[in-house]
Amino acid sequence: MDDLERDGLGRDGLESDEFERELKQAFERRPAPPSLKRKLMDRRSRQRTERLHLRKVMWERLAACLVLAALVGGGFEWHQREEQRKGEAARQQVFTALRITNHALNQVKAQLAEHDRDRQE
Amino acid sequence: MARDWQPDFEQLVDEHQSMVFSLALRMTGDRGLAEEIAQDVFLELDRHLGRIESPLHALHWLRRVAMSRSADALRRRKVRGMDLWVEMEDGYGARVEERCSPIGVRLEQLLATLPEPQRAALILRYQEDLTPEEIAATLEAPLATVKSHLQRGLKLLRAKAASNLKDYIRTATTG
């Protein structure tokens, strides 16, 4: 006696057994359409191809993104270095100009000092 | 730990296509839709094949997913306001009749008139020969609910059969 009979589902004896037997016969598995497996395998193959294609496209996009990121990063780095180089060159020019100016001022100062000494004498 | 059993998709299709198709067909009553559901279920199995641990696991998985996808399809169709079982009443009966006894055909048609949860429980009980515990696990429903669906469904089906089949047998014998 299984659960259903214990629960009173088969309580009307022989008639119920016959009914349930009839149900089991009526509800036997039906064979699947012969085309089901073929259609399924076709869809599976199509889906796999699509998945492979999508994966390929995804990798291509990823590679393109990486190349683009490398280009942008490289460009940014080059720009930074270029700015640094220009800044350094400008600094050197300023120092040179200051050195020249300093030298010129020293010369003027020496001339003025010499001129003052001459006047005092 | 390596598994001893390696799932073979084609073999699983060969073994279980009839079960998956029959579950979907009895749940929806639409041959075309049942075939579509069966294909979807197997394609989903293909995607989850790595997680299937044994032939028994595959069987339980297929049963559960077939019932779930069929219920989803019924809900979708209900939203669109279509009555799927009209097709089974009109077209499927004739095809089933070739293989089944006339009473079997009538019983299957009467099953179609039951509410969906009762129909699902009865299909798993009488097509798949599952115990209420196994049905509860398959439908992911409480055991008490499943038992109630089985009891009410069987009672309703028996009552419908008592009146319909009496008329049917009377018509068949007089005709």
Side-chain angles (χ1 to χ4, degrees):
Chain A
M1 182 186 282
D2 73 3
D3 273 3
L4 287 176
E5 284 171 298
R6 273 205 301 278
D7 291 340
L9 287 174
R11 62 182 174 277
D12 24 4
L14 189 63
E15 212 175 277
S16 167
D17 284 348
E18 277 175 9
F19 183 68
E20 291 200 43
R21 214 172 14 252
E22 197 65 55
L23 278 183
K24 277 188 184 172
Q25 275 179 2
F27 294 173
E28 269 178 5
R29 288 177 184 172
R30 301 260 168 261
S35 59
L36 190 140
K37 191 182 170 187
R38 183 181 46 78
K39 286 181 189 167
L40 172 64
M41 299 315 275
D42 285 350
R43 269 183 73 183
R44 184 190 186 220
S45 159
R46 265 202 313 278
Q47 281 195 356
R48 288 198 159 189
T49 313
E50 274 169 27
R51 267 208 298 271
L52 278 176
H53 176 71
L54 280 177
R55 205 170 292 168
K56 194 180 151 207
V57 169
M58 197 189 75
W59 280 113
E60 280 172 358
R61 282 182 185 171
L62 187 67
C65 284
L66 286 174
V67 169
L68 197 67
L71 282 174
V72 169
F76 183 71
E77 181 68 22
W78 177 83
H79 180 73
Q80 289 280 90
R81 285 183 186 211
E82 192 60 19
E83 287 293 300
Q84 218 170 4
R85 192 188 59 75
K86 280 181 186 168
E88 187 61 29
R91 202 164 68 105
Q92 291 304 324
Q93 280 178 347
V94 169
F95 284 153
T96 307
L98 283 174
R99 264 199 305 275
I100 292 168
T101 310
N102 193 33
H103 182 71
L105 284 173
N106 281 341
Q107 275 185 336
V108 170
K109 194 179 165 188
Q111 280 175 359
L112 283 173
E114 198 176 334
H115 180 71
D116 283 350
R117 258 200 316 273
D118 287 348
R119 275 181 63 186
Q120 277 172 6
E121 280 169 8
Chain B
M1 202 175 85
R3 287 184 311 189
D4 295 335
W5 181 74
Q6 288 300 320
D8 176 351
F9 182 72
E10 278 204 56
Q11 196 187 333
L12 287 172
V13 173
D14 286 334
E15 280 174 19
H16 301 301
Q17 60 176 339
S18 151
M19 183 261 291
V20 173
F21 174 73
S22 302
L23 288 175
L25 179 61
R26 292 206 167 101
M27 281 298 286
T28 63
D30 181 322
R31 239 182 126 73
L33 182 61
E35 202 176 330
E36 206 174 296
I37 291 169
Q39 287 179 26
D40 290 344
V41 169
F42 279 111
L43 288 175
E44 202 171 328
L45 174 75
D46 187 35
R47 287 194 294 275
H48 289 83
L49 215 53
R51 286 179 233 165
I52 303 294
E53 290 163 0
S54 66
L56 201 61
H57 185 197
L59 175 70
H60 290 314
W61 191 95
L62 284 168
R63 259 193 208 128
R64 189 171 55 77
V65 176
M67 293 305 283
S68 157
R69 294 296 164 271
S70 302
D72 291 347
L74 281 176
R75 268 190 289 275
R76 274 199 304 273
R77 289 283 173 116
K78 207 179 273 179
V79 169
R80 287 186 218 156
M82 290 169 74
D83 187 359
L84 288 175
W85 279 96
V86 171
E87 190 173 328
M88 180 175 255
E89 294 270 345
D90 296 342
Y92 180 64
R95 279 189 289 271
V96 169
E97 219 157 347
E98 293 163 11
R99 300 191 192 90
C100 231
S101 70
I103 292 178
V105 175
R106 294 294 288 180
L107 281 175
E108 237 182 321
Q109 288 173 342
L110 290 174
L111 173 80
T113 63
L114 297 185
E116 187 203 312
Q118 295 177 7
R119 191 161 72 235
L122 287 180
I123 291 169
L124 289 172
R125 171 71 184 161
Y126 293 104
Q127 182 191 300
E128 295 302 307
D129 210 16
L130 297 188
T131 63
E133 287 79 5
E134 289 168 327
I135 297 171
T138 305
L139 298 176
E140 292 172 337
L143 182 59
T145 310
V146 167
K147 282 184 176 176
S148 157
H149 287 326
L150 281 170
Q151 282 178 330
R152 286 173 190 205
L154 197 57
K155 196 175 166 188
L156 194 57
L157 193 60
R158 191 179 286 135
K160 283 174 184 251
S163 65
N164 280 276
L165 292 181
K166 211 182 284 170
D167 294 343
Y168 178 77
I169 289 164
R170 197 183 302 135
T171 317
T173 49
T174 55

